[in-house]
Each structure stands twice: as C-alpha cells, then as structure tokens.
Amino acid sequence: MSQSPVSDNYYSCTVNFTFSFSFSYISTNINIAGKKSYLEGGVLFVTSRILVVDLLMEKVPVDLVTGLLVYRAHKVVETCQEAFILRLFREKNKTGFIKAFTDSAESFTHGFCKAERVIKTLFVRNLYLWPRFQATILAFLEQEKRKINVVELHVPMTTEMQGIQTALLDIIAACVRELRSMNAQLDVDEVTLETVISNSFDSIIRYQLEPVWHQLSEKSKLLVSDLKHLRKILRSVTCHDGVTFLNTVNALRTNERLFGQNVGWLFLDSADSLFVYSNRRVHSAAAAKKPKRSKKADENVAGGTNDRVELEEPPKWKALSDVLVEIEAQSGAGLAGQVLVCADDDRTCEQLREYLEDGARAVLTRLYNRTIATRHGKPLISLADGRKTMDGPRKSAKTHTGESSTTGTLTQIFKDKANPDDEGNDEKDKSNVDGSFCYYKVFSKPLIIIHPLHGASNPYSLMRVLYEVEPKYVILYDSDIMFIRQLEVFKATRPQCHLQLYFLLYADSTDEQCYLTTLRKEKEAFEMLIRNKATMVIPSNLDDCALLERGSAPANETVSTRKGGAMASAQPATRQKILVDMREFRSELPSLLHRRGLDIVPITIEVGDYILTPDMCVERKSISDLIGSLNNGRLYNQCLAMTRYYKRPILLIEFDQNKPFSLQFQGNVSTISNEIQSNDVTSKLALLTLHFPLLRILWCASPYATAEIFEELKVGKDQPEEAKALAITVESSDSPLVTDKYSHGPQDLVLKLPGISSKNYRTLMNKVSNLSELVKLSEEQLSKILDNRAFGKDLYDFIHKNKQDVEAKNAKQSYKGKKWKQK
C-alpha cells in the first residue's frame, strides 16, 4: 500500500526481479474487474485511493487478507487515507499483520509524541530502529566484500567563489537577524544561519509561520521570500558555472520589482562584494576593480563594458575530468565497467554532458555569447580568443578512440553494443527506465551515464538505473545523503560486484557544511527515537482501542441513571448514510465522516461531491480550488446544476486547519471593497449568491468542523438513494426536477431577459403559456404581471425593439469609443 502509482510500479518491478512468488498491480483499469483481482492471491500493489474505495464497496475479501505493508510510515496521520484503510481492515480482520516502513527518521522529530501517535494509528505494538551506527548494521556494512571503496575529493574553491560565499553568508545572517527581531514567535534555536543553509529550512519556516502568516508584516514576508532566493543563489555558487551565476546575480539588480521592494540587504557592502566577485568570474580581475561606485559603474559591472573576457572554469569540472582519466586507465588495466555520474539537477547534467563532449572552453563560450554578449551588445568571442586552454580530457579520448559519442535510451545503448548491425527495432525494446530526464554519454571505454539526483519526473528512475546497469564506478558530483545510503544497501546486497564511489566536495563550502549538518541531524533523530522508545506508552490491546470506535459521543459523556428498566429497550438509531464522489477520496473528509459513525457510499456523482439527503447536495471547494473554479467559470456551471436538481444546494468552502481561517491578509489591500471587481474573490462570490438565491455557503475552518456540520445537517432527515443520485447528470433532461415544473431551455431563456429575476420569473411562467404569447402582450399587461412598471417597460422594449434602431444605436456608441454590452 503506497501513496502513488509510481511507487507501486517501482516496487512491483523490484519484487519481480528479487523474488519468485506471484504479484500484481491494481490500477484503475484493472480494478474494474472487482473482486476477481483480489481473489487471485499473491502480493498486490494498490494505491491508497483505490484500496479505500474497494474496501468501502466490499470488493476486498478482508477476512482472506494475510497482512498489509505500508510504505512511508512517517506520513501516516489520523486523517490520511492510509489510516482510514488500516481502520477498515482492523475492524473486520483482527489476526492479519500490519507492518510499516520508513527511511525518514528526521520526520519524527517534529511535533508532540509523533512516533507514539503514528504507532497507534498503524495498529502496531513494536518499534524497530535500525540506524547506521547500530552494531549489527555497522559490522555488516563494514565487511570487506560489502564495503564501498570511497574516495573523497575536497576540491578547493577559487578566490572569487570564496568571496561570493562570504558575501552571501553575511547577507543571509543580516536577514535572519532582522526576521528574528521582528517576529518574537520564531524559535531561536531553529532559525539560525546553519539551518538556513540546510535543506530543511523551508519546512522549518513553513511550520512556524504558516499559522500566523496573515498577521505578519509586509517586511517579514519580504524577508522570508528574500531568504528563499538567497539560498538558491548560494546553492548556485557550487552547482553552476560563472556565466550562469553572473546572469542570476544580475537579475537581482535589473529586476525593478525586487529592487523597489528590497528590505535593505541589497544596499549592504556585502551586496557590492557579491556583484564584484561575480563579475570577476567572467571578466579579468584587473578590469573589475573599481575604487568608486556609481550608476555608470553598476552598468559596467552588470554588462561587462570594456572588461577583458576571461571565463573561469568550475574547479569541479577539472576534478571530474581527472577522475574519468583515472577510471579510463583502470579500464585499460582490465577493470572496465560502467560509470554513473550523479549531479544535483537536470540542468547540471546537461551541462556536464556538453563539457564531456566539447570541453570547458566551448561550453562557457557558447553560454557567454548566448546570454551576456547578446543582452548587452558585446562582441561575440570565439574559441580562438581564449587565453586559457580549458578542454577536458574526454575530448582527446574521443579523438583517440576514433568513435563518436551517441545519445539514447539505455535499451538502445546496450542493444547497439551487443548487435551493432541490428537497427530499426528500438520501439520494441524500450526500457522501463524513465529517460526523459536522463543523459547518456557513450564512449568506447567506459560507458558514462549522467543522471540527476532530484527533479526527475519519476523519482525512482535513478534507482532503476542503478539496479539495471550495476555500474562499477559512481561519481557523486553533488552531495546527497539519501543516495549514499541507497548505494550502501546496493553494495551490501551485491557483494560480488565491484563498486567505487568518488565523492566530489568543495572544501570549506556551504555544500560541505550542509552535508555534515544532514549527517548530524540523522544521528540526532535516531538518538531521540531511542530515548522516546524507552518511555513510550502503547495500549496493550490495539485491536479494541478507541481508534476503532465510531461515533461523535465523547468518552467522558455522562449517562443518565434516571431511565427505568422499562425504558431501556429503545429503538435502535438509524445508521446515517452519505453518498461520496469517487474523486473526493483524495481529501481527509471521508475518513473523518466515517470516524463519526456515518456510513460512506462511494459512487460516481456528476452533480455535487456529497449527497447528504435526497434534497441536499454539497460541492466542496478548497481555497485554491475555489479561486481556480471562479476564474474559469466551472463553479457557475456546478452551482447551476445543483440548483436545478436539488432543493438545498450547498457550497462548502473548506480551509486548511494549519492556515489562517480568513480570505484577507494584513499588509495587503483588503479583499473586501465597496465596488464589484472582476479579479476579486469576494466580489465573484457575491455575484454567485445574487445569481443563485437558493445556494447556501458553508465556511469551515477545517475538515473536522465540516464533519461535525454534516452530522448535524443529517439529523432527522431521510437517507439519500444511490439510484436517484446516479440518474442525475449534467446533460440529463428526463431526470425529475425538484425546483419547479418548467423545462430547462425556456426557463434559462426567460431568466436572461431584461426585467426578469429569480423572484418574478415563476409568476411570469405561470401566467404566460409560451414565448409566442409573451411577445403579444402589451406593456401594461407585462407591468401588471411583473407587478413593476419599470420591469415591464424593460421587457417590452427588449421584445419589440427594432433591428434598425439597435444597429444605429450600436454604431453611435462605437463612434463614441464605447462598447454596448447586454446585461
């Protein structure tokens, strides 16, 4: 049981490769078969959304299930789909096992007793911790045949890169001090310079500031946004070349919005050093030194006016070339094998591929001509103009072998190696590896595969490349602790394979500090879990605990003792039922409704999301969905369908419980205005309520509040019928109408006529048989029917208006520069 089909597909292929027992993957198409797929037995890979629907529809023989395996246990909370599935499973099966796995120990360090709450939600009794420093694991991984040969290369940074890093750290430290001084609610131990440069800063700041985001000042919001941009620039120092970094830094100066809304760090001395050192990585140092700063000087720094172009090669490129030369020498000595190069993102991988093919000078020259020279009108430079020879050794290797490089999928590469004459059958043998974000560089010796660590469309593509190719050499261009742990497991399960890891790190850099911080936090997380495990309190009988109890009655509810024995035999309460659309099981609300004792019936509903009673239909909208539906007009059509088929249509606007319960934000212009505005959410909601008077709007602060309101709305009401709900469609014309007795077409036409509103259209349609009779009525008759002389005159003028008069009026308004618009 996992959260996505991509996870199911990956693990199903892993099981097929490792074990021999039968397994199958339950998808949306296969699931149409119903119980037959589950009765076949074996190991089933099912996504959470499909499994919860099948459990509610009783397609799964729960009594025959041996057990459940849960992936990513750290994401299991009380309201998620996995917890809902486990609760449904444990209600009917008390003997089946439940096992959950996770590789994120740091996730259990946030919140109050999170590990204990997750264990209770999973209905498990034992917690097993397997850290890297555990004696058994350490002894196993340190065996000679299972140990990775690691070569750490600490590459020194250039003087310019060190100056840029120092300037950025000073700017970030100033922003952190300013943010902490303006917001006393921030945890001083969490928001530090060390955490800002780490990968977990975004989650830390979001966890602390999101509940009070609407109360923050505009300057605080700008500081958080600037810290995000500065962290990206700091990451770019070690990941990207000098030309790309200069373009990124120049964008800060040329961006008028960022320059005008800057909170002050752009005018610090460290910011001046940042721009000067960034320019030195592209232009000569002598030309970049300027004693005084002026507007003209700023333009020279940004555009490189009169500067001598001298492009700086990233030191890691040279280190990568040296490593590949060493590997090629070992290949000549009989240790040939594939090489896997892992970089941070897709852009870095593409640049490394170009570097291996053409050399550093060609890559940087093309980049300079395409960006700086073109934008600032500078003369283009050629390869002959370079004052340094920056050609990678791979270029000479390509010339030495006399073979050209090729690019393609893994299947094509290995196929061409095995059968060079067999062509035209690539479509038949496509690999399962997602190659859309992979770059493959092929030489005669060795085969080089470049793959990103992050950002791929398939998050498991790197692991599939690792297990299918089984490289002998792995070059980690950028640090990633998760991939290092996966490499250790890969090597431990294949002791017969040779694996050597080259780890490239900039010495005394933030990249190195971030890697060391991640190692420290991983160790501290396991130590905290070990201490919590010793004092953890878990119920002895989880199968009969309060998590399986359904109903809204509190545990401490007092029971009246004044009821006599004759009154004890009361009629059993009717089980409440709610019809829920299949697409709504992505949300938390169905799980909470089931916890409150309501029966959930999943069906495919075209009109509405929840059917509470035969007359009550609910359309649920989150804030993001509400804004999108109002902008594209989808909400209008949904409200039109609900008001047409149900007497009590309801629009539910549900907020996130971790965010402010408000549509207004301090520091910005108020969203409530005296005038109707086309781009305002509240104005659109006001127009929606005016157009649909029967529509009711529910504002709920969280899914918990929504479940409580739903239960109260169903008290004393009839239960909805599935057949009637399925019969109501948007295009259906023979469905029974609950609002009135009129046909849709004439009713919609009458509502669009001038002088007709939702308050008087029924009176008109009751007294007038058809449109032919309507056009024959006089102005006095229409005024009497509508009980308003102005409305009668507007309707009469519209019906009897001459075509020539309309065209003449339109021409006159067009001449005045105005456009006639019918309302």
Side-chain angles (χ1 to χ4, degrees):
M1 182 175 60
S2 65
Q3 285 85 0
S4 64
V6 178
S7 304
D8 291 340
N9 190 18
Y10 169 73
Y11 285 105
S12 62
C13 294
T14 305
V15 170
N16 188 26
F17 179 78
T18 309
F19 303 100
S20 59
F21 48 77
S22 62
F23 72 96
S24 60
Y25 168 57
I26 306 296
S27 63
T28 306
N29 298 328
I30 301 177
N31 196 35
I32 299 176
K35 277 189 175 182
K36 183 178 179 181
S37 302
Y38 295 99
L39 291 175
E40 292 177 354
V43 178
L44 303 179
F45 292 87
V46 194
T47 56
S48 302
R49 190 176 68 89
I50 295 177
L51 184 56
V52 68
V53 172
D54 289 346
L55 286 172
L56 290 172
M57 299 179 69
E58 298 183 353
K59 291 184 178 180
V60 182
V62 181
D63 55 329
L64 301 179
V65 177
T66 306
L68 292 179
L69 301 178
V70 184
Y71 179 54
R72 292 181 181 175
H74 60 278
K75 291 189 175 183
V76 177
V77 294
E78 183 184 1
T79 58
C80 69
Q81 292 181 356
E82 289 74 21
F84 191 13
I85 292 171
L86 294 174
R87 192 163 65 246
L88 293 174
F89 171 74
R90 190 54 79 193
E91 285 178 355
K92 300 180 179 179
N93 190 329
K94 304 293 185 179
T95 59
F97 68 84
I98 297 177
K99 298 182 184 296
F101 309 91
T102 181
D103 55 359
S104 179
E106 191 176 348
S107 300
F108 293 91
T109 59
H110 304 291
F112 179 73
C113 296
K114 184 175 180 180
E116 185 175 348
R117 288 187 283 112
V118 169
I119 286 177
K120 292 180 181 179
T121 306
L122 291 171
F123 298 98
V124 296
R125 296 180 178 84
N126 300 319
L127 173 63
Y128 299 97
L129 302 175
W130 301 99
R132 177 65 172 79
F133 55 81
Q134 206 264 354
T136 306
I137 297 179
L138 187 62
F140 181 78
L141 295 179
E142 292 297 328
Q143 294 179 10
E144 186 66 26
K145 293 183 179 181
R146 304 181 188 275
K147 185 178 180 180
I148 303 177
N149 298 325
V150 182
V151 179
E152 285 193 12
L153 300 177
H154 294 267
V155 183
M157 295 193 299
T158 62
T159 305
E160 288 75 16
M161 294 176 66
Q162 293 177 354
I164 291 172
Q165 178 177 276
T166 304
L168 282 172
L169 289 178
D170 292 341
I171 295 173
I172 292 175
C175 293
V176 169
R177 288 194 299 269
E178 185 71 15
L179 183 64
R180 288 166 55 178
S181 64
M182 297 180 62
N183 302 275
Q185 67 270 21
L186 286 177
D187 190 352
V188 179
D189 297 333
E190 290 287 346
V191 184
T192 60
L193 182 60
E194 183 182 7
T195 57
V196 169
I197 64 177
S198 65
N199 296 328
S200 59
F201 175 73
D202 290 335
S203 59
I204 292 175
I205 201 69
R206 189 185 308 113
Y207 178 77
Q208 296 194 27
L209 291 182
E210 266 194 353
V212 294
W213 184 258
H214 63 298
Q215 300 177 0
L216 297 181
S217 62
E218 187 67 20
K219 187 175 181 180
S220 298
K221 296 178 181 179
L222 290 176
L223 281 171
V224 174
S225 177
D226 290 348
L227 282 174
K228 182 179 180 181
H229 291 298
L230 289 172
R231 291 179 65 249
K232 290 182 179 179
I233 296 174
L234 184 62
R235 180 66 177 170
S236 180
V237 176
T238 56
C239 291
H240 299 151
D241 59 276
V243 179
T244 303
F245 185 80
L246 180 60
N247 291 327
T248 304
V249 171
N250 285 339
L252 298 177
R253 186 184 295 271
T254 57
N255 191 332
E256 296 182 0
R257 185 189 63 82
L258 183 61
F259 190 86
Q261 298 180 354
N262 188 263
V263 294
W265 64 263
L266 197 57
F267 307 103
L268 298 175
D269 294 337
S270 300
D272 296 339
S273 302
L274 171 64
F275 292 114
V276 172
Y277 281 116
S278 301
N279 188 57
R280 287 185 187 180
R281 297 184 68 185
V282 179
H283 305 95
S284 60
K289 291 181 180 179
K290 296 179 172 60
K292 295 183 179 181
R293 299 297 307 276
S294 62
K295 184 177 180 181
K296 185 66 177 176
D298 292 340
E299 295 176 356
N300 292 341
V301 172
T305 305
N306 298 326
D307 288 349
R308 186 179 62 180
V309 177
E310 190 162 337
L311 304 176
E312 175 192 270
E313 178 185 3
K316 270 191 179 182
W317 287 9
K318 184 65 169 57
L320 177 63
S321 301
D322 296 340
V323 170
L324 291 176
V325 170
E326 178 182 341
I327 293 175
E328 189 173 2
Q330 295 179 5
S331 300
L335 297 176
Q338 293 81 16
V339 180
L340 176 62
V341 181
C342 299
D344 183 63
D345 53 9
D346 181 66
R347 182 177 184 177
T348 306
C349 292
E350 171 62 23
Q351 201 169 64
L352 290 179
R353 185 183 65 84
E354 293 179 358
Y355 166 69
L356 294 179
E357 289 180 345
D358 305 327
R361 182 66 192 176
V363 175
L364 295 176
T365 300
R366 284 197 302 266
L367 191 58
Y368 176 86
N369 293 336
R370 190 167 59 246
T371 56
I372 297 178
T374 303
R375 295 172 185 172
H376 301 284
K378 296 294 294 180
L380 303 179
I381 61 175
S382 61
L383 291 176
D385 296 335
R387 294 172 175 81
K388 291 184 180 179
T389 304
M390 296 187 297
D391 291 332
R394 296 305 304 164
K395 187 175 182 180
S396 60
K398 187 173 89 172
T399 307
H400 175 72
T401 57
E403 297 183 12
S404 60
S405 62
T406 59
T407 305
T409 62
L410 285 180
T411 300
Q412 295 171 349
I413 291 173
F414 292 122
K415 180 182 174 183
D416 293 340
K417 288 282 183 181
N419 302 313
D421 299 331
D422 188 10
E423 299 180 357
N425 297 323
D426 295 338
E427 296 296 331
K428 298 180 180 179
D429 301 322
K430 283 190 176 180
S431 175
N432 290 328
V433 179
D434 182 11
S436 58
F437 286 85
C438 305
Y439 297 94
Y440 308 104
K441 172 71 182 173
V442 182
F443 295 91
S444 58
K445 292 180 181 181
L447 169 68
I448 301 175
I449 304 172
I450 306 177
H451 198 288
L453 291 167
H454 312 101
S457 59
N458 185 352
Y460 301 100
S461 60
L462 178 58
M463 294 306 302
R464 298 186 68 171
V465 169
L466 179 66
Y467 279 89
E468 291 184 10
V469 177
E470 294 186 357
K472 289 189 176 181
Y473 304 95
V474 176
I475 302 176
L476 198 57
Y477 189 83
D478 295 302
S479 61
D480 186 77
I481 185 64
M482 292 299 297
F483 183 64
I484 293 176
R485 296 289 181 252
Q486 292 168 349
L487 281 176
E488 289 181 325
V489 175
F490 170 78
K491 174 58 179 174
T493 55
R494 289 165 173 77
Q496 73 282 0
C497 297
H498 171 79
L499 181 62
Q500 185 163 344
L501 173 64
Y502 292 91
F503 193 6
L504 304 183
L505 273 176
Y506 280 115
D508 301 326
S509 65
T510 56
D511 190 19
E512 182 182 17
Q513 180 61 37
C514 183
Y515 172 70
L516 296 176
T517 302
T518 306
L519 285 177
R520 178 178 58 81
K521 288 187 175 181
E522 181 190 47
K523 182 180 178 181
E524 292 176 352
F526 274 109
E527 291 175 349
M528 190 196 74
L529 287 174
I530 292 173
R531 292 193 300 268
N532 292 345
K533 182 181 178 180
T535 59
M536 191 176 298
V537 178
I538 302 176
S540 58
N541 190 2
L542 285 173
D543 296 339
D544 298 328
C545 65
L547 292 175
L548 293 178
E549 296 180 1
R550 298 178 57 189
S552 57
N556 58 352
E557 182 181 12
T558 58
V559 181
S560 177
T561 60
R562 299 186 63 182
K563 296 180 180 180
M567 302 295 297
S569 58
Q571 293 292 334
T574 304
R575 295 296 297 269
Q576 302 289 339
K577 181 174 64 173
I578 294 181
L579 307 183
V580 183
D581 187 36
M582 295 283 193
R583 292 159 295 207
E584 280 297 307
F585 283 93
R586 299 186 181 94
S587 65
E588 303 172 350
L589 187 55
S591 175
L592 296 176
L593 292 174
H594 186 269
R595 279 291 302 272
R596 298 189 72 88
L598 302 174
D599 290 341
I600 304 300
V601 181
I603 60 174
T604 302
I605 307 174
E606 291 194 21
V607 179
D609 295 327
Y610 296 86
I611 309 298
L612 304 184
T613 67
D615 299 333
M616 195 178 301
C617 175
V618 179
E619 179 71 29
R620 190 189 70 89
K621 294 291 181 185
S622 61
I623 298 300
S624 58
D625 192 14
L626 174 68
I627 296 174
S629 301
L630 287 173
N631 291 335
N632 58 25
R634 182 163 53 93
L635 183 57
Y636 174 85
N637 296 327
Q638 292 172 341
C639 293
L640 178 62
M642 286 196 301
T643 55
R644 177 169 292 173
Y645 294 106
Y646 293 94
K647 290 181 179 180
R648 295 179 179 83
I650 298 175
L651 174 62
L652 168 65
I653 301 177
E654 192 175 79
F655 288 75
D656 190 348
Q657 59 183 349
N658 297 322
K659 294 183 179 180
F661 182 44
S662 174
L663 285 178
Q664 304 179 54
F665 300 92
Q666 282 188 351
N668 298 330
V669 180
S670 177
T671 55
I672 296 181
S673 175
N674 295 329
E675 298 180 358
I676 297 296
Q677 301 176 2
S678 60
N679 59 347
D680 188 24
V681 176
T682 54
S683 297
K684 293 179 180 179
L685 285 176
L687 292 175
L688 192 69
T689 54
L690 288 174
H691 195 84
F692 301 104
L694 297 178
L695 182 66
R696 298 293 180 262
I697 298 181
L698 290 179
W699 302 81
C700 295
S702 67
Y704 291 92
T706 304
E708 183 178 355
I709 292 176
F710 277 12
E711 186 179 16
E712 293 177 357
L713 290 175
K714 285 189 63 63
V715 174
K717 303 295 191 304
D718 297 333
Q719 304 304 318
E721 299 180 9
E722 301 178 35
K724 291 184 178 180
L726 291 173
I728 297 177
T729 60
V730 178
E731 295 81 8
S732 61
S733 59
D734 54 348
S735 298
L737 298 178
V738 297
T739 57
D740 49 37
K741 58 183 179 181
Y742 309 114
S743 301
H744 298 165
Q747 180 178 332
D748 294 340
L749 176 61
V750 170
L751 283 172
K752 290 180 173 60
L753 295 177
I756 304 299
S757 64
S758 58
K759 297 181 180 180
N760 58 13
Y761 81 98
R762 290 187 179 88
T763 305
L764 178 66
M765 299 187 73
N766 286 331
K767 296 182 179 181
V768 182
S769 301
N770 48 46
L771 293 175
S772 178
E773 183 180 347
L774 178 64
V775 298
K776 296 178 182 179
L777 296 177
S778 62
E779 182 178 344
E780 290 76 10
Q781 291 174 327
L782 290 175
S783 301
K784 184 177 180 181
I785 294 174
L786 298 178
D787 198 17
N788 189 296
R789 184 174 295 275
F791 291 164
K793 186 177 185 305
D794 292 341
L795 181 57
Y796 182 83
D797 292 342
F798 176 78
I799 295 174
H800 298 85
K801 192 171 292 185
N802 196 357
K803 181 179 179 182
Q804 287 77 11
D805 297 340
V806 175
E807 293 177 351
K809 186 177 180 179
N810 291 341
K812 184 178 180 180
Q813 290 181 348
S814 177
Y815 176 75
K816 292 181 180 180
K818 300 179 180 179
K819 294 184 178 179
W820 180 77
K821 182 177 180 182
Q822 180 181 347
K823 295 185 179 180

